[in-house]
Amino acid sequence: MYIENNDILTFLGYKNQKLDDSILNMINSCKEEAINLINERFIYGVYDIEEDKDIRLLNTNIVLSGESITRHLKDCNKVILFACTLGIDIERKIRLYEKIDLTKSIILDACASILVESLCDDIEKIIKKGLNKEYRYTLRFSPGYGDLDISSQKKVIGLLDANRKIGLTCSSNFILMPRKSVTAIIGISNNDIKSEYDICDSCHARENCMYRNNNKCANYNK
């Protein structure tokens, strides 16, 4: 995986300010360090679904509730659930730098955020390569988007056995641990998907989102 300097600067909120050599050197150092620290792992499953008021995953006890996810999966008959993580080492280093070098901690955190989204993109390609070439797919949709309750993270982790298989857990507040991790849902259809849900429209930060304005959002305009 590779990290572009411009992506880091976007995360950090830079807008054409002049950067001195010390910051640029720190960015390059953190990029290299981040890539060396990650231990990327993922797991996924493909499930048949049926739609009533909510989305039910057949042969499981999982129900995905909410207008957002129902609209997102309207034309689908299957879903991919996946979970991934960069591992604990990079998180530990971010926390260490919080105590001794806050600037470096912020830059390393930005690098990790970019890497986990890049990992998600790679996972999608890997999964789709192994499935029917005729399938059509929605964008990925994570617990907490729209009105899909963030507690769904725990359901996804439990169904995939992600704790045992990739070391991913969920706190009592449904925060993923390690933090640089993602759970996601992708809809599958045998036909064209006509009602793809606009994830950005469901986001409370959409009006002031620097990533949407620059087409950098992980789920925007792919």
Side-chain angles (χ1 to χ4, degrees), residues 11-12 73-74 84 91 126 147 150 217:
F11 257 93
L12 298 177
L73 300 176
K74 180 180 178 182
C84 66
E91 183 171 331
I126 291 168
D147 61 357
I150 196 170
C217 178

Side-chain angles (χ1 to χ4, degrees), residues 147-159:
D147 61 357
L148 177 61
D149 198 278
I150 196 170
S151 63
S152 300
Q153 303 237 76
K154 202 157 196 172
K155 298 178 183 178
V156 174
I157 288 173
L159 182 60

Side-chain angles (χ1 to χ4, degrees), residues 1 12 15 30-32 51 54 59 70 76 82 85 95 122-123 132 140 145 157 180-181 188-189 205:
M1 291 188 282
L12 298 177
K15 296 186 178 180
C30 285
K31 284 165 53 177
E32 183 177 353
E51 178 188 346
D54 300 314
N59 301 315
T70 302
C76 301
F82 78 77
T85 183
R95 290 176 177 174
D122 290 345
I123 290 167
N132 189 326
R140 60 180 179 262
Y145 288 4
I157 288 173
K180 297 305 179 182
S181 305
I188 302 176
S189 175

Side-chain angles (χ1 to χ4, degrees), residues 119-154:
L119 175 60
C120 288
D121 292 341
D122 290 345
I123 290 167
E124 283 196 41
K125 293 173 187 175
I126 291 168
I127 295 171
K128 291 174 183 177
K129 187 175 180 181
L131 297 177
N132 189 326
K133 290 182 172 56
E134 302 302 316
Y135 283 158
R136 300 291 182 268
Y137 302 92
T138 68
L139 300 177
R140 60 180 179 262
F141 196 105
S142 289
Y145 288 4
D147 61 357
L148 177 61
D149 198 278
I150 196 170
S151 63
S152 300
Q153 303 237 76
K154 202 157 196 172

Side-chain angles (χ1 to χ4, degrees), residues 86-130:
L86 296 183
I88 195 65
D89 290 345
I90 194 165
E91 183 171 331
R92 286 174 175 159
K93 186 56 70 77
I94 291 168
R95 290 176 177 174
L96 173 63
Y97 285 146
E98 284 176 353
K99 299 174 183 177
I100 62 175
D101 191 332
L102 186 56
T103 301
K104 201 166 187 178
S105 172
I106 292 169
I107 295 172
L108 189 63
D109 187 85
C111 291
S113 295
I114 293 164
L115 286 172
V116 77
E117 291 300 333
S118 178
L119 175 60
C120 288
D121 292 341
D122 290 345
I123 290 167
E124 283 196 41
K125 293 173 187 175
I126 291 168
I127 295 171
K128 291 174 183 177
K129 187 175 180 181

